[in-house]
Amino acid sequence: MKIAVKIALLITVETARGMHTALPRVLDALHAAQASATVCLHLGRDAGAPLTGRRRERARWYGWGSLWRGRVWPGARLDKLAPAALKAIDHAGCVAGLHLEASRVWRGTQAAQPLAARVAQFRRLAGLAAEAPFTVNLPGGLARWPLLRQMQALGVGALTGVPGQHGFLPCHHAELLAVPVLPTSLPNLGDVLRAERGQADAAVHTLLSHSAGLAGPALCWLDAERIGGVWQAEFARLLAGWREQGHVLCAVSDSLLTHAVLPHAELEISPRLALRQGATRFA
């Protein structure tokens, strides 16, 4: 017997190439599969391809020019491209969110932006009210207590970007926060493809085998530059497989509605991260 659960799709867009080229393809695929998603946009400078993976693979995912942006020359300001992307996301029936990247200021000439300013900027661009909640996707390693406390003060609706299996409300040293944290509970397509040595059929089969045994809501993170580019076919097959399994593909905010009560759970913070106090700044 198939058990249909909600799979929240979290899609991040980090580059100008992603906004121009990949995002329209991703939204078309979601529309064809009658699926929704939370699409989190990065609003700082295009920092180019990530440093993980082999150079040739990064060039295929992001384009050769992305290998130099943010390193040899500054990338485009993504907040200038965001209004058109936000309009397309809304038109496709998806929900927009904010993706944060830790500050990497190009040659020290670009001022970094504090979190409160970045949140206010997103609300203005998205046409949201001053205290309207929305999803924020955290960059790796920044799920630390001062940052989460600030997220609550800014009225953020949900946080993603940390690994785990079940949603929770964070607590630390008896201090409680009311900001839901929804961990990435399904494997990332890129991780599975690397584990399967690039075999697309095996990677899609592995991901679908994980979702076949789901007994509760799950979250899958995908990046638009890849699923709207070199992994377009795999993304379409994943969507079709999830629909065939009877799952509902939805935005993060829709997935939250299925949680009657989220338990409080201790947030584990390493000593190294605990030393990084103060407001985090973003490029």
Side-chain angles (χ1 to χ4, degrees):
M1 178 181 176
K2 296 180 180 179
I3 300 177
V5 301
K6 286 188 175 181
I7 298 178
L9 299 180
L10 176 76
I11 299 170
T12 56
V13 188
E14 301 177 330
T15 65
R17 178 186 172 99
M19 286 194 185
H20 280 310
T21 306
L23 181 59
R25 296 173 181 170
V26 171
L27 295 177
D28 286 344
L30 290 170
H31 177 73
Q34 299 181 328
S36 184
T38 293
V39 183
C40 290
L41 303 179
H42 174 46
L43 296 182
R45 281 193 175 272
D46 181 349
L51 292 175
T52 57
R54 291 180 296 180
R55 183 177 299 175
R56 183 171 297 178
E57 290 177 343
R58 298 201 306 272
R60 288 179 63 215
W61 297 335
Y62 293 86
W64 282 105
S66 283
L67 296 177
W68 307 112
R69 291 191 188 102
R71 300 179 181 92
V72 178
W73 63 73
R77 293 259 351 154
L78 297 183
D79 54 326
K80 304 297 183 184
L81 307 175
L86 288 165
K87 188 177 295 185
I89 291 167
D90 182 65
H91 186 262
C94 296
V95 180
L98 176 62
H99 175 64
L100 297 176
E101 279 293 345
S103 177
R104 180 172 63 191
V105 182
W106 186 79
R107 293 186 184 273
T109 60
Q110 302 295 334
Q113 194 174 41
L115 178 61
R118 179 56 55 85
V119 168
Q121 179 188 33
F122 175 79
R123 284 193 171 114
R124 176 176 56 80
L125 290 172
L128 299 176
E131 297 182 356
F134 60 92
T135 298
V136 172
N137 187 58
L138 295 170
L142 283 180
R144 56 189 181 82
W145 199 247
L147 180 64
L148 268 62
R149 187 187 292 124
Q150 194 178 9
M151 292 284 186
Q152 176 175 255
L154 292 170
V156 169
L159 294 173
T160 58
V162 298
Q165 288 300 315
H166 306 288
F168 65 95
L169 297 172
C171 63
H172 184 59
H173 293 169
E175 182 180 356
L176 308 178
L177 290 187
V179 183
V181 176
L182 294 184
T184 305
S185 51
L186 285 176
N188 178 272
L189 177 58
D191 296 336
V192 177
L193 274 168
R194 281 190 290 272
E196 299 290 350
R197 299 185 178 183
Q199 298 296 316
D201 290 341
V204 172
H205 176 77
T206 299
L207 266 174
L208 291 177
S209 66
H210 279 277
S211 59
L214 289 175
L219 187 145
C220 184
W221 169 74
L222 303 155
D223 52 322
E225 284 80 3
R226 299 182 218 190
I227 62 171
V230 68
W231 295 342
Q232 238 182 308
E234 287 78 6
F235 180 53
R237 288 168 57 195
L238 266 179
L239 293 177
W242 282 328
R243 295 286 295 180
E244 186 178 344
Q245 289 175 349
H247 299 314
V248 177
L249 306 178
C250 64
V252 172
S253 53
D254 294 329
S255 177
L256 266 177
L257 298 176
T258 64
H259 297 274
V261 177
L262 284 175
H264 274 96
E266 184 72 19
L267 182 72
E268 296 183 6
I269 303 178
S270 69
R272 179 180 62 85
L273 291 177
L275 292 174
R276 293 169 56 186
Q277 300 297 317
T280 301
R281 301 179 76 82
F282 303 93

